[in-house]
Amino acid sequence: MLGLPYADLRYPNPLNIDPIAFHLGPIAVHWYALSYLVAFALYLALAFVRAGKPGYALSRSQAIEALIEGELGAYLGGRIGYILFYNLPLYLAHPLQIFAVWEGGMSFHGGLIGAVLMLAYTARREGLTLFAITDFVAPLIPLGLAAGRFGNFINGNLFGRVCTADFSWCAYFPYGGDVLRYPSQLFEGAGEGLLLFAILWGFSRKPRRAGAVSALFLVGYGLIRFTLEFIRQPDPQLGFVAFGWMTMGQLLSIPMVVAGGVLFYWIYRIAPREQLATS
């Protein structure tokens, strides 16, 4: 499942990063696992910058609770989403594989659904609206996604399609055959991570109507993911799922964009003007 990019990136200098960062006795600690810790640390650092300040709905303790509970929902939803969207026949035939989480298998879109459901519970318990939490949390997510994509790159999984002859930044991946492929994980990290973070962080610095930041996250992530899927290798067990060119990642991103667009329309065209709120 996991592998190492063969470090034949033609630009910049070749990389050769061992997927195992270090050992704690007999336990091998992988860079991919550390990327999750980096994601948590980035979330907390960014949350502490804003939490408790005027114009932001969550206190620091509420931000931590949202992280823990949202991450739990994301993990459960991500696993269930992968089973349902990406490999249901395998898990129906081998149900015990559902619990083999060390073998990988997570869906961002499933994780998003799980996180929203869990955050809805958090909001109700804390006496907040759902948008009060999701508008606060949304700008904090992309840098964690960037860390995860870099972990994918080090592991050599979720690699890109075969490079075109005129593209100068490609890599060999051990499970991608003896051909140069797009390092799509790095492009996704830059797009879903750095670019989306800059957009959301800047947008959320000023007071916005309740739900506007969440809507922008849905539209922004959906469009970026849909676009970058054109250079990402489709999942081998699925291939293209529609029209001979659409991947499952693209198919699942369309409802995100539609939902975000509908939410924007409702916020700015239908909802009362007094619903101006901040994240």
Side-chain angles (χ1 to χ4, degrees):
M1 178 189 67
L2 303 181
L4 174 67
Y6 278 137
D8 199 9
L9 282 173
R10 292 187 282 179
Y11 179 85
N13 291 328
L15 302 176
N16 194 352
I17 305 174
D18 191 331
I20 298 176
F22 55 87
H23 289 82
L24 292 175
I27 301 174
V29 179
H30 288 72
W31 283 109
Y32 187 67
L34 293 179
S35 72
Y36 278 86
L37 296 179
V38 171
F40 296 155
L42 290 171
Y43 173 96
L44 287 175
L46 294 172
F48 278 20
V49 169
R50 289 186 166 180
K53 293 184 177 180
Y56 296 99
L58 273 66
S59 66
R60 288 188 173 182
S61 62
Q62 289 173 326
I64 294 174
E65 290 171 358
L67 167 65
I68 296 172
E69 294 171 356
E71 184 61 30
L72 175 61
Y75 187 83
L76 293 175
R79 185 61 174 169
I80 295 171
Y82 181 81
I83 293 168
L84 295 178
F85 301 145
Y86 287 91
N87 224 340
L88 183 58
L90 170 67
Y91 293 104
L92 288 177
H94 306 282
L96 291 180
Q97 286 293 107
I98 293 173
F99 305 101
V101 294
W102 56 88
E103 295 183 1
M106 297 288 286
S107 163
F108 169 84
H109 298 89
L112 177 64
I113 295 171
V116 170
L117 292 175
M118 185 61 75
L119 291 177
Y121 164 78
T122 305
R124 182 175 182 179
R125 188 192 64 231
E126 297 295 323
L128 299 168
T129 65
L130 176 60
F131 285 148
I133 292 187
T134 58
D135 284 354
F136 182 91
V137 168
L140 314 183
I141 296 174
L143 289 186
L145 296 178
R149 292 307 186 192
F150 188 68
N152 291 142
F153 174 75
I154 294 175
N155 282 336
N157 60 337
L158 305 184
F159 45 77
R161 303 182 193 184
V162 176
C163 276
T164 57
D166 58 349
F167 193 81
S168 60
W169 197 22
C170 304
Y172 290 107
F173 293 94
Y175 297 106
D178 190 22
V179 292
L180 286 166
R181 295 183 175 274
Y182 295 109
S184 55
Q185 312 97 321
L186 300 182
F187 289 103
E188 288 178 309
E192 302 166 4
L194 303 182
L195 176 60
L196 187 58
F197 167 74
I199 293 171
L200 291 172
W201 190 262
F203 182 76
S204 62
R205 291 185 66 183
K206 296 182 179 181
R208 305 291 178 182
R209 292 197 181 190
V213 178
S214 301
L216 183 60
F217 175 85
L218 292 173
V219 173
Y221 181 91
L223 289 176
I224 293 171
R225 175 69 180 269
F226 188 94
T227 302
L228 291 177
E229 282 280 324
F230 283 111
I231 63 169
R232 177 171 161 175
Q233 182 71 14
D235 296 87
Q237 73 276 14
L238 293 178
F240 296 108
V241 298
F243 309 115
W245 58 266
M246 184 177 289
T247 66
M248 179 59 76
Q250 289 174 316
L251 187 63
L252 294 174
S253 293
I254 292 174
M256 287 187 67
V257 177
V258 172
V262 170
L263 183 55
F264 262 129
Y265 182 83
W266 181 83
I267 291 168
Y268 287 102
R269 294 293 184 182
I270 300 177
R273 293 186 60 83
E274 59 267 20
Q275 288 195 357
L276 178 68
T278 65
S279 59

